[in-house]
Amino acid sequence: MIKVIAYQVAEQINIKKFKSAYKAEVFSSSSTDLFYYNKNGSSIYILSYGVVVFANFGEIEISKIIDYVKQFSVNVLENQYKEDILIHTEKELSFSYNDVFVPEISPDVVRIIMLNVAQSAFLDFYTDLSQNLLDETVKFTTELEQFGKLKISRKNLLRFIGKALNVKNRIIDNLYIFDVPDIVWENEYLDKVNNGMVKTFDINTRFREIEYTLKIVEGNLGIFTELVQHKTSNTLELVIIFLILVELVNVLVGHHF
């Protein structure tokens, strides 16, 4: 039995710098991930979108490596998101909520399983981020319904709009993580393992839910932006009217005297 556990430790990990500093032999790597595999079955998978995955590691070792990874990370999270699963060896390939049963274990099989566990942790993190944005958006729409205006200042509203756009952009930047790995296309067995893991963690549905949530937020942001522009326009009109009145008063006073 192999226990696989993934942690979303940051928003981003610098793969290039980590690879240069960490002296263990890399089994496979790319610009976005590093996979370390030992003959005893223990493995580490480092992914650029801030996730570190372990297979057959004790808690003390995991804690030490995570602390080390943080040196190469951007926006380290205070509360780490975690996902895990157990790999068993059985005659038939099958999947359950917390377990995967495979006829044979190889580095590629372990890597595919670890990749899907990483994606699940990533989705938990961004599901919470997008839901928080939606909750804040609902507060503003409730204000519009109750008071006919937004109580938030223009500056804070623009900050919220920027925050929402940044979350959306970060998700778009990481869309590549849901691409099927090249090794899956070349191996029918790995393809079955990958498809089974995707279904087990409900990867596609959860990703679509995040997309849907962000579309709702985006639609509301468009309305909020128009309100800000309208408010700014009204303010400018009042300033112009005030200046015209001042000028008229000056002209009248000058003419009188």
Side-chain angles (χ1 to χ4, degrees):
M1 181 180 71
I2 298 175
K3 183 175 182 179
V4 174
I5 184 167
Y7 294 89
Q8 178 90 36
V9 301
E11 291 187 15
Q12 188 178 358
I13 298 172
N14 190 313
I15 294 296
K16 185 177 181 179
K17 288 184 178 179
F18 182 88
K19 184 179 181 181
S20 298
Y22 195 64
K23 299 307 179 183
E25 184 178 353
V26 180
F27 186 86
S28 66
S29 66
S30 72
S31 61
T32 58
D33 65 355
L34 297 168
F35 181 55
Y36 300 89
Y37 184 85
N38 298 320
K39 292 181 179 180
N40 62 5
S42 61
S43 309
I44 306 173
Y45 203 7
I46 312 290
L47 298 122
S48 62
Y49 47 86
V51 181
V52 185
V53 195
F54 301 90
N56 265 8
F57 271 83
E59 291 184 5
I60 296 176
E61 292 173 296
I62 288 174
S63 180
K64 289 180 179 179
I65 293 173
I66 286 178
D67 286 340
Y68 183 72
V69 171
K70 287 178 180 178
Q71 301 175 52
F72 309 92
S73 302
V74 177
N75 296 334
V76 175
L77 306 181
E78 292 183 9
N79 299 315
Q80 296 172 1
Y81 289 77
K82 183 174 72 172
E83 186 66 85
D84 61 83
I85 201 167
L86 295 175
I87 305 175
H88 307 269
T89 305
E90 292 287 345
K91 291 182 179 180
E92 299 292 332
L93 179 64
S94 62
F95 305 85
S96 67
Y97 180 70
N98 287 317
D99 304 271
V100 52
F101 302 89
V102 295
E104 59 178 284
I105 295 177
S106 68
D108 287 335
V109 169
V110 173
R111 180 188 168 196
I112 291 299
I113 293 172
M114 294 174 81
L115 174 62
N116 280 276
V117 178
Q119 290 176 348
S120 185
F122 171 88
L123 286 171
D124 282 344
F125 173 50
Y126 277 97
T127 294
D128 279 357
L129 276 183
S130 58
Q131 186 59 50
N132 289 338
L133 288 175
L134 181 60
D135 291 343
E136 290 186 62
T137 302
V138 169
K139 291 180 183 178
F140 298 144
T141 55
T142 302
E143 285 182 6
L144 283 174
E145 180 183 2
Q146 292 179 346
F147 308 106
K149 63 179 182 179
L150 292 173
K151 289 188 173 183
I152 187 172
S153 68
R154 180 176 180 273
K155 180 179 179 181
N156 286 335
L157 180 58
L158 290 174
R159 288 178 65 185
F160 171 73
I161 292 172
K163 176 183 175 182
L165 292 175
N166 277 333
V167 171
K168 181 183 176 183
N169 290 338
R170 290 206 301 269
I171 292 177
I172 291 173
D173 288 342
N174 289 315
L175 282 178
Y176 70 88
I177 76 169
F178 299 103
D179 293 339
V180 177
D182 292 339
I183 56 173
V184 169
W185 294 109
E186 303 165 1
N187 189 304
E188 184 179 356
Y189 172 56
L190 292 178
D191 184 49
K192 290 180 179 178
V193 172
N194 185 67
N195 289 335
M197 293 298 299
V198 168
K199 291 178 181 178
T200 298
F201 286 120
D202 212 10
I203 299 292
N204 293 330
T205 300
R206 290 161 64 194
F207 177 70
R208 285 195 296 269
E209 287 175 351
I210 293 175
E211 276 191 317
Y212 179 70
T213 300
L214 289 176
K215 282 181 180 179
I216 295 174
V217 173
E218 186 178 17
N220 286 316
L221 289 181
I223 296 172
F224 297 157
T225 302
E226 289 181 8
L227 288 172
V228 169
Q229 291 174 343
H230 181 67
K231 185 177 180 180
T232 303
S233 177
N234 286 344
T235 302
L236 288 173
E237 288 176 5
L238 290 172
V239 170
I240 291 170
I241 291 171
F242 175 76
L243 291 174
I244 291 173
L245 288 173
V246 170
E247 185 64 25
L248 284 172
V249 170
N250 287 334
V251 169
L252 290 172
V253 170
H255 181 73
H256 179 72
F257 289 102

